[in-house]
Amino acid sequence: AQRVTQPEKLLSVFKGAPVELKCNYSYSGSPELFWYVQYSRQRLQLLLRHISRESIKGFTADLNKGETSFHLKKPFAQEEDSAMYYCALSGRTGNQFYFGTGTSLTVIP
Amino acid sequence: EADIYQTPRYLVIGTGKKITLECSQTMGHDKMYWYQQDPGMELHLIHYSYGVNSTEKGDLSSESTVSRIRTEHFPLTLESARPSHTSQYLCASSSRLNTGELFFGEGSRLTVL
């Protein structure tokens, strides 16, 4: 079975502080991992994917196959980062996507 | 402009009514999906389609049905709505050339009284 676990439903950090949103997964194969974000009153949208190895809006995420984790990190949180973040997984065919329960991030001014 | 559209955005309906949630995309995507989103819960895949005349059920057992007669259109139907169907329904699409990026609609919030 494919599962994505986000242990934190709510996370609050002060502006300028580092932030880490945790994601662990279980998958019998080689998954592709993603982070999706939903800002207030906006659609769910892709933030970044592990195969791109890119930094988007200052966020990075490293796939750790040993720990089966894909944590999202940003060294200095900004107020505009306040949003709902979902970790997601798909198999190599990309036909199905599995999402975690999401973490609501609040950046306190 | 290429986009994915969902209608209605909000629907309040009585138990036993038949409803259809519409989803259309002008992105030329082959794959389309329906997810159910409830607060504090993971997004649950309820239906997906690889292309015209192809539909599959997702992991979440659902009493809804879908059809894919045209590439751009993927409606979801509930023959007899119940209060347990109250939820946010998200439609998404993706291109088989760019697996990994789902494009979501704005969602349809259904309330069944």
Side-chain angles (χ1 to χ4, degrees), chain B residues 10-61:
Chain B
Y10 302 93
L11 179 63
V12 180
I13 202 164
T15 297
K17 299 290 186 184
K18 177 180 178 179
I19 63 117
T20 297
L21 303 180
E22 303 286 349
C23 177
S24 296
Q25 50 97 2
T26 55
M27 309 179 88
H29 287 167
D30 298 309
K31 301 179 183 180
M32 296 188 74
Y33 311 80
W34 276 103
Y35 284 88
Q36 193 168 331
Q37 181 185 34
D38 294 303
M41 305 288 288
E42 59 198 83
L43 271 70
H44 285 291
L45 178 66
I46 48 177
H47 295 283
Y48 59 101
S49 168
Y50 301 150
V52 172
N53 294 325
S54 153
T55 61
E56 301 284 345
K57 285 186 180 290
D59 282 350
L60 182 66
S61 174

Side-chain angles (χ1 to χ4, degrees), chain A residues 32-104:
Chain A
E32 294 194 31
L33 275 297
F34 311 88
W35 277 98
Y36 280 78
V37 61
Q38 188 168 26
Y39 300 103
S40 179
R41 298 190 183 87
Q42 293 188 29
R43 305 181 192 194
L44 197 56
Q45 59 186 289
L46 178 68
L47 178 62
L48 56 77
R49 67 188 83 181
H50 89 269
I51 58 172
S52 300
R53 295 183 174 274
E54 56 193 348
S55 173
I56 303 293
K57 298 184 179 182
F59 284 98
T60 58
D62 291 320
L63 179 60
N64 186 322
K65 293 184 179 181
E67 296 182 357
T68 59
S69 68
F70 188 57
H71 303 327
L72 183 68
K73 300 177 185 179
K74 185 170 182 176
F76 307 104
Q78 302 299 314
E79 289 178 65
E80 56 265 29
D81 296 329
S82 295
M84 192 74 175
Y85 291 81
Y86 290 92
C87 183
L89 169 158
S90 79
R92 284 297 179 190
T93 61
N95 287 334
Q96 293 192 47
F97 293 82
Y98 300 92
F99 287 80
T101 51
T103 297
S104 177

